[in-house]
Amino acid sequence: MRSDLIDVFINSREFKQKHCGVHRLAGFRGSDLAILSRYVPATLETEEGFLTDWLGIKHCLADLPFLAKTLSGRSFAGVPVPDDGFHAEAIEYLALFAALETAGESFTMMELGAGWAPWLCAGGVVAKRLGKKPIRLIGVEGEGNKLPLIRRHLNKNGLCPTVNFGLTTESDGVAVTLYHGVVNDGTSVKIPVVGIEDYGASLVSDSPFKGNDIEEVQGYHMAQLAENVSIFDLVHIDIQGYEQELIKAQVKVFVDKVKWLAIGTHSREIESFLIDFLPEHGFRLFRETPCNFSFTQKPEHMVDATNVDGFQIWVNDVLVKDNPF
């Protein structure tokens, strides 16, 4: 009954007039709010120099220059509908919690295109609260200047006191493995060097960063990253338009080992491909929000026309047993 009322509320004309000009609620259902509500902590601890998100996770403002300095010592409380106030919409949290609730006693996740690793951190923090053991977190990030941000973010939130890239660090039931590189066919690639405020370096388009310095980074195949993992409860992918090439070329690893796929999408072309391709390999579309785009003439790459990323959640029904969703 409560979820029915929420459905009516979020689909009401008044709610859409207030929120839907900026936020996309496609794929979000009233029953999802009950899932998100289960993870709201009783209290939030704030600290100067940090923004505390709704899960109680602290984000360093010095490492995230896109956030206003006026947010220092503040928190965003409450269920993140339509979003959390600064970096993610409700649908992304729904992917994490669906994976946690179908994970069993342990929890294993990977974040591809980790940035400052907000999803690795959220997954690890919440899994610890739920008492899951062991917890395994694997992150891959191509931009070298983001690596210190990952280390500081995980450390600040109690996930391994020291993190060494390319090695697995274990502490208090949590194992963290971080890679400086990209996921492709295993060959090294050259990507533009961007500032820590930018999160757009891409393997498919360098249009926003033409003229930037170039760095060469290692490529890793998914099979290599998953070699010592039997099952991933969640793989979160945000790789700036390369998601189609990755999933098409390495789909067997995802089919064999991944329960839930959370994919940031960067063009309608990519979204259409995923919707055609993944069901043929046993994945079911659970929720989705389409990307927003605009252009007056066809760009060099369709990724360049996207101004707000989309998001898709896929569940592998063969691997997820007794799925309540």
mmCIF file of all heavy atoms in Angstrom, residues 128-159:
data_model
loop_
_atom_site.group_PDB
_atom_site.id
_atom_site.type_symbol
_atom_site.label_atom_id
_atom_site.label_comp_id
_atom_site.label_asym_id
_atom_site.label_seq_id
_atom_site.Cartn_x
_atom_site.Cartn_y
_atom_site.Cartn_z
ATOM 1 N N LYS A 128 30.092 -3.611 5.263
ATOM 2 C CA LYS A 128 30.603 -3.759 6.632
ATOM 3 C C LYS A 128 29.488 -3.574 7.649
ATOM 4 O O LYS A 128 29.395 -4.323 8.629
ATOM 5 C CB LYS A 128 31.724 -2.751 6.888
ATOM 6 C CG LYS A 128 33.055 -3.117 6.257
ATOM 7 C CD LYS A 128 34.144 -2.112 6.611
ATOM 8 C CE LYS A 128 34.536 -2.192 8.077
ATOM 9 N NZ LYS A 128 35.685 -1.284 8.389
ATOM 10 N N ARG A 129 28.636 -2.588 7.435
ATOM 11 C CA ARG A 129 27.521 -2.354 8.359
ATOM 12 C C ARG A 129 26.587 -3.548 8.419
ATOM 13 O O ARG A 129 26.010 -3.848 9.471
ATOM 14 C CB ARG A 129 26.731 -1.107 7.927
ATOM 15 C CG ARG A 129 27.438 0.198 8.164
ATOM 16 C CD ARG A 129 26.597 1.354 7.678
ATOM 17 N NE ARG A 129 27.356 2.599 7.720
ATOM 18 C CZ ARG A 129 26.994 3.709 7.091
ATOM 19 N NH1 ARG A 129 25.873 3.729 6.377
ATOM 20 N NH2 ARG A 129 27.736 4.787 7.183
ATOM 21 N N LEU A 130 26.438 -4.222 7.282
ATOM 22 C CA LEU A 130 25.557 -5.387 7.227
ATOM 23 C C LEU A 130 26.222 -6.644 7.779
ATOM 24 O O LEU A 130 25.580 -7.696 7.860
ATOM 25 C CB LEU A 130 25.111 -5.630 5.783
ATOM 26 C CG LEU A 130 24.245 -4.533 5.149
ATOM 27 C CD1 LEU A 130 24.009 -4.836 3.664
ATOM 28 C CD2 LEU A 130 22.923 -4.383 5.879
ATOM 29 N N GLY A 131 27.493 -6.539 8.140
ATOM 30 C CA GLY A 131 28.200 -7.678 8.714
ATOM 31 C C GLY A 131 28.683 -8.687 7.700
ATOM 32 O O GLY A 131 28.966 -9.847 8.060
ATOM 33 N N LYS A 132 28.795 -8.293 6.440
ATOM 34 C CA LYS A 132 29.233 -9.241 5.410
ATOM 35 C C LYS A 132 30.739 -9.466 5.502
ATOM 36 O O LYS A 132 31.508 -8.519 5.671
ATOM 37 C CB LYS A 132 28.835 -8.734 4.027
ATOM 38 C CG LYS A 132 27.321 -8.679 3.834
ATOM 39 C CD LYS A 132 26.934 -8.344 2.416
ATOM 40 C CE LYS A 132 25.425 -8.266 2.253
ATOM 41 N NZ LYS A 132 24.737 -9.551 2.511
ATOM 42 N N LYS A 133 31.151 -10.719 5.378
ATOM 43 C CA LYS A 133 32.559 -11.092 5.379
ATOM 44 C C LYS A 133 32.739 -12.364 4.572
ATOM 45 O O LYS A 133 31.907 -13.263 4.670
ATOM 46 C CB LYS A 133 33.061 -11.309 6.812
ATOM 47 C CG LYS A 133 33.298 -10.042 7.601
ATOM 48 C CD LYS A 133 33.990 -10.348 8.924
ATOM 49 C CE LYS A 133 34.286 -9.087 9.710
ATOM 50 N NZ LYS A 133 34.999 -9.368 10.973
ATOM 51 N N PRO A 134 33.813 -12.437 3.777
ATOM 52 C CA PRO A 134 34.742 -11.348 3.492
ATOM 53 C C PRO A 134 34.159 -10.363 2.478
ATOM 54 O O PRO A 134 33.203 -10.686 1.767
ATOM 55 C CB PRO A 134 35.955 -12.071 2.909
ATOM 56 C CG PRO A 134 35.348 -13.288 2.241
ATOM 57 C CD PRO A 134 34.200 -13.696 3.111
ATOM 58 N N ILE A 135 34.750 -9.176 2.427
ATOM 59 C CA ILE A 135 34.379 -8.147 1.461
ATOM 60 C C ILE A 135 35.566 -7.948 0.526
ATOM 61 O O ILE A 135 36.697 -7.761 0.989
ATOM 62 C CB ILE A 135 34.030 -6.817 2.162
ATOM 63 C CG1 ILE A 135 32.829 -7.012 3.088
ATOM 64 C CG2 ILE A 135 33.758 -5.718 1.146
ATOM 65 C CD1 ILE A 135 32.601 -5.855 4.049
ATOM 66 N N ARG A 136 35.319 -7.989 -0.776
ATOM 67 C CA ARG A 136 36.391 -7.781 -1.745
ATOM 68 C C ARG A 136 36.005 -6.655 -2.691
ATOM 69 O O ARG A 136 34.926 -6.683 -3.296
ATOM 70 C CB ARG A 136 36.669 -9.061 -2.536
ATOM 71 C CG ARG A 136 37.860 -8.897 -3.473
ATOM 72 C CD ARG A 136 38.457 -10.186 -3.912
ATOM 73 N NE ARG A 136 39.695 -9.947 -4.630
ATOM 74 C CZ ARG A 136 40.311 -10.861 -5.374
ATOM 75 N NH1 ARG A 136 39.808 -12.078 -5.464
ATOM 76 N NH2 ARG A 136 41.440 -10.569 -5.999
ATOM 77 N N LEU A 137 36.885 -5.672 -2.804
ATOM 78 C CA LEU A 137 36.654 -4.489 -3.632
ATOM 79 C C LEU A 137 37.774 -4.366 -4.654
ATOM 80 O O LEU A 137 38.947 -4.359 -4.292
ATOM 81 C CB LEU A 137 36.606 -3.227 -2.763
ATOM 82 C CG LEU A 137 35.673 -3.250 -1.548
ATOM 83 C CD1 LEU A 137 35.852 -1.985 -0.715
ATOM 84 C CD2 LEU A 137 34.220 -3.410 -1.984
ATOM 85 N N ILE A 138 37.405 -4.271 -5.938
ATOM 86 C CA ILE A 138 38.387 -4.145 -7.018
ATOM 87 C C ILE A 138 38.054 -2.900 -7.824
ATOM 88 O O ILE A 138 36.914 -2.729 -8.282
ATOM 89 C CB ILE A 138 38.369 -5.385 -7.926
ATOM 90 C CG1 ILE A 138 38.694 -6.646 -7.120
ATOM 91 C CG2 ILE A 138 39.348 -5.217 -9.089
ATOM 92 C CD1 ILE A 138 38.532 -7.941 -7.892
ATOM 93 N N GLY A 139 39.026 -2.014 -7.985
ATOM 94 C CA GLY A 139 38.804 -0.776 -8.721
ATOM 95 C C GLY A 139 39.814 -0.601 -9.832
ATOM 96 O O GLY A 139 40.984 -0.979 -9.685
ATOM 97 N N VAL A 140 39.363 -0.019 -10.952
ATOM 98 C CA VAL A 140 40.240 0.259 -12.090
ATOM 99 C C VAL A 140 40.024 1.709 -12.505
ATOM 100 O O VAL A 140 38.885 2.127 -12.749
ATOM 101 C CB VAL A 140 39.945 -0.671 -13.281
ATOM 102 C CG1 VAL A 140 40.923 -0.388 -14.427
ATOM 103 C CG2 VAL A 140 40.012 -2.133 -12.864
ATOM 104 N N GLU A 141 41.109 2.480 -12.577
ATOM 105 C CA GLU A 141 41.031 3.884 -12.972
ATOM 106 C C GLU A 141 42.210 4.221 -13.882
ATOM 107 O O GLU A 141 43.362 3.926 -13.552
ATOM 108 C CB GLU A 141 41.029 4.806 -11.756
ATOM 109 C CG GLU A 141 41.132 6.283 -12.058
ATOM 110 C CD GLU A 141 40.068 6.778 -13.046
ATOM 111 O OE1 GLU A 141 38.888 6.422 -12.874
ATOM 112 O OE2 GLU A 141 40.431 7.515 -13.986
ATOM 113 N N GLY A 142 41.903 4.849 -15.020
ATOM 114 C CA GLY A 142 42.934 5.144 -15.998
ATOM 115 C C GLY A 142 43.695 6.429 -15.769
ATOM 116 O O GLY A 142 44.853 6.554 -16.180
ATOM 117 N N GLU A 143 43.068 7.409 -15.147
ATOM 118 C CA GLU A 143 43.692 8.716 -14.983
ATOM 119 C C GLU A 143 44.589 8.716 -13.740
ATOM 120 O O GLU A 143 44.116 8.566 -12.613
ATOM 121 C CB GLU A 143 42.623 9.797 -14.876
ATOM 122 C CG GLU A 143 41.768 9.897 -16.137
ATOM 123 C CD GLU A 143 40.582 10.828 -15.968
ATOM 124 O OE1 GLU A 143 40.612 11.666 -15.042
ATOM 125 O OE2 GLU A 143 39.626 10.709 -16.749
ATOM 126 N N GLY A 144 45.884 8.905 -13.952
ATOM 127 C CA GLY A 144 46.839 8.797 -12.872
ATOM 128 C C GLY A 144 46.609 9.756 -11.723
ATOM 129 O O GLY A 144 46.869 9.426 -10.557
ATOM 130 N N ASN A 145 46.102 10.965 -12.018
ATOM 131 C CA ASN A 145 45.921 11.932 -10.936
ATOM 132 C C ASN A 145 44.714 11.624 -10.053
ATOM 133 O O ASN A 145 44.502 12.287 -9.035
ATOM 134 C CB ASN A 145 45.824 13.360 -11.484
ATOM 135 C CG ASN A 145 44.652 13.554 -12.441
ATOM 136 O OD1 ASN A 145 43.855 12.647 -12.668
ATOM 137 N ND2 ASN A 145 44.554 14.744 -13.013
ATOM 138 N N LYS A 146 43.918 10.616 -10.438
ATOM 139 C CA LYS A 146 42.794 10.219 -9.584
ATOM 140 C C LYS A 146 43.210 9.185 -8.533
ATOM 141 O O LYS A 146 42.482 8.954 -7.562
ATOM 142 C CB LYS A 146 41.658 9.619 -10.438
ATOM 143 C CG LYS A 146 41.105 10.545 -11.532
ATOM 144 C CD LYS A 146 40.501 11.800 -10.974
ATOM 145 C CE LYS A 146 39.710 12.585 -12.019
ATOM 146 N NZ LYS A 146 40.490 13.006 -13.191
ATOM 147 N N LEU A 147 44.373 8.578 -8.708
ATOM 148 C CA LEU A 147 44.774 7.485 -7.822
ATOM 149 C C LEU A 147 44.949 7.921 -6.364
ATOM 150 O O LEU A 147 44.479 7.231 -5.454
ATOM 151 C CB LEU A 147 46.047 6.824 -8.350
ATOM 152 C CG LEU A 147 45.994 6.342 -9.810
ATOM 153 C CD1 LEU A 147 47.283 5.623 -10.174
ATOM 154 C CD2 LEU A 147 44.795 5.449 -10.056
ATOM 155 N N PRO A 148 45.608 9.066 -6.093
ATOM 156 C CA PRO A 148 45.686 9.499 -4.694
ATOM 157 C C PRO A 148 44.312 9.792 -4.086
ATOM 158 O O PRO A 148 44.101 9.591 -2.884
ATOM 159 C CB PRO A 148 46.541 10.770 -4.761
ATOM 160 C CG PRO A 148 47.314 10.646 -6.032
ATOM 161 C CD PRO A 148 46.390 9.949 -6.978
ATOM 162 N N LEU A 149 43.366 10.235 -4.910
ATOM 163 C CA LEU A 149 42.017 10.510 -4.414
ATOM 164 C C LEU A 149 41.349 9.221 -3.937
ATOM 165 O O LEU A 149 40.665 9.200 -2.906
ATOM 166 C CB LEU A 149 41.159 11.146 -5.516
ATOM 167 C CG LEU A 149 41.311 12.642 -5.795
ATOM 168 C CD1 LEU A 149 42.729 12.995 -6.232
ATOM 169 C CD2 LEU A 149 40.302 13.099 -6.856
ATOM 170 N N ILE A 150 41.536 8.143 -4.712
ATOM 171 C CA ILE A 150 40.962 6.854 -4.330
ATOM 172 C C ILE A 150 41.528 6.399 -2.989
ATOM 173 O O ILE A 150 40.780 5.996 -2.095
ATOM 174 C CB ILE A 150 41.248 5.787 -5.406
ATOM 175 C CG1 ILE A 150 40.571 6.168 -6.729
ATOM 176 C CG2 ILE A 150 40.790 4.418 -4.940
ATOM 177 C CD1 ILE A 150 40.911 5.232 -7.875
ATOM 178 N N ARG A 151 42.842 6.478 -2.873
ATOM 179 C CA ARG A 151 43.487 6.031 -1.629
ATOM 180 C C ARG A 151 42.955 6.817 -0.434
ATOM 181 O O ARG A 151 42.601 6.241 0.598
ATOM 182 C CB ARG A 151 45.001 6.190 -1.751
ATOM 183 C CG ARG A 151 45.747 5.738 -0.506
ATOM 184 C CD ARG A 151 47.246 5.959 -0.634
ATOM 185 N NE ARG A 151 47.857 5.017 -1.549
ATOM 186 C CZ ARG A 151 48.373 5.352 -2.728
ATOM 187 N NH1 ARG A 151 48.314 6.603 -3.138
ATOM 188 N NH2 ARG A 151 48.927 4.440 -3.498
ATOM 189 N N ARG A 152 42.888 8.137 -0.560
ATOM 190 C CA ARG A 152 42.431 8.968 0.564
ATOM 191 C C ARG A 152 40.971 8.719 0.888
ATOM 192 O O ARG A 152 40.567 8.699 2.057
ATOM 193 C CB ARG A 152 42.678 10.452 0.253
ATOM 194 C CG ARG A 152 44.128 10.858 0.318
ATOM 195 C CD ARG A 152 44.299 12.360 0.366
ATOM 196 N NE ARG A 152 43.980 13.000 -0.904
ATOM 197 C CZ ARG A 152 44.871 13.234 -1.869
ATOM 198 N NH1 ARG A 152 46.142 12.852 -1.711
ATOM 199 N NH2 ARG A 152 44.519 13.849 -2.986
ATOM 200 N N HIS A 153 40.143 8.522 -0.158
ATOM 201 C CA HIS A 153 38.709 8.336 0.070
ATOM 202 C C HIS A 153 38.436 7.023 0.807
ATOM 203 O O HIS A 153 37.660 6.985 1.770
ATOM 204 C CB HIS A 153 37.965 8.360 -1.261
ATOM 205 C CG HIS A 153 36.483 8.386 -1.131
ATOM 206 N ND1 HIS A 153 35.808 9.313 -0.362
ATOM 207 C CD2 HIS A 153 35.512 7.578 -1.669
ATOM 208 C CE1 HIS A 153 34.515 9.093 -0.424
ATOM 209 N NE2 HIS A 153 34.305 8.039 -1.208
ATOM 210 N N LEU A 154 39.081 5.960 0.374
ATOM 211 C CA LEU A 154 38.893 4.672 1.044
ATOM 212 C C LEU A 154 39.426 4.713 2.470
ATOM 213 O O LEU A 154 38.789 4.224 3.410
ATOM 214 C CB LEU A 154 39.568 3.556 0.249
ATOM 215 C CG LEU A 154 39.016 3.276 -1.159
ATOM 216 C CD1 LEU A 154 39.808 2.148 -1.806
ATOM 217 C CD2 LEU A 154 37.544 2.930 -1.123
ATOM 218 N N ASN A 155 40.607 5.296 2.637
ATOM 219 C CA ASN A 155 41.206 5.357 3.967
ATOM 220 C C ASN A 155 40.349 6.172 4.929
ATOM 221 O O ASN A 155 40.142 5.774 6.087
ATOM 222 C CB ASN A 155 42.609 5.957 3.889
ATOM 223 C CG ASN A 155 43.600 5.054 3.168
ATOM 224 O OD1 ASN A 155 43.283 3.910 2.857
ATOM 225 N ND2 ASN A 155 44.790 5.567 2.886
ATOM 226 N N LYS A 156 39.851 7.302 4.464
ATOM 227 C CA LYS A 156 39.059 8.176 5.329
ATOM 228 C C LYS A 156 37.822 7.475 5.847
ATOM 229 O O LYS A 156 37.355 7.733 6.973
ATOM 230 C CB LYS A 156 38.670 9.445 4.565
ATOM 231 C CG LYS A 156 37.865 10.466 5.376
ATOM 232 C CD LYS A 156 38.705 11.011 6.522
ATOM 233 C CE LYS A 156 37.934 12.033 7.339
ATOM 234 N NZ LYS A 156 38.752 12.547 8.467
ATOM 235 N N ASN A 157 37.281 6.579 5.046
ATOM 236 C CA ASN A 157 36.037 5.917 5.410
ATOM 237 C C ASN A 157 36.238 4.492 5.928
ATOM 238 O O ASN A 157 35.320 3.661 5.895
ATOM 239 C CB ASN A 157 35.082 5.947 4.214
ATOM 240 C CG ASN A 157 34.590 7.362 3.935
ATOM 241 O OD1 ASN A 157 33.727 7.877 4.630
ATOM 242 N ND2 ASN A 157 35.155 8.011 2.918
ATOM 243 N N GLY A 158 37.452 4.220 6.404
ATOM 244 C CA GLY A 158 37.704 2.983 7.135
ATOM 245 C C GLY A 158 37.889 1.737 6.308
ATOM 246 O O GLY A 158 37.705 0.625 6.811
ATOM 247 N N LEU A 159 38.272 1.888 5.035
ATOM 248 C CA LEU A 159 38.463 0.728 4.166
ATOM 249 C C LEU A 159 39.940 0.585 3.830
ATOM 250 O O LEU A 159 40.421 1.143 2.843
ATOM 251 C CB LEU A 159 37.628 0.865 2.894
ATOM 252 C CG LEU A 159 36.118 0.952 3.112
ATOM 253 C CD1 LEU A 159 35.411 1.261 1.796
ATOM 254 C CD2 LEU A 159 35.588 -0.343 3.709
#
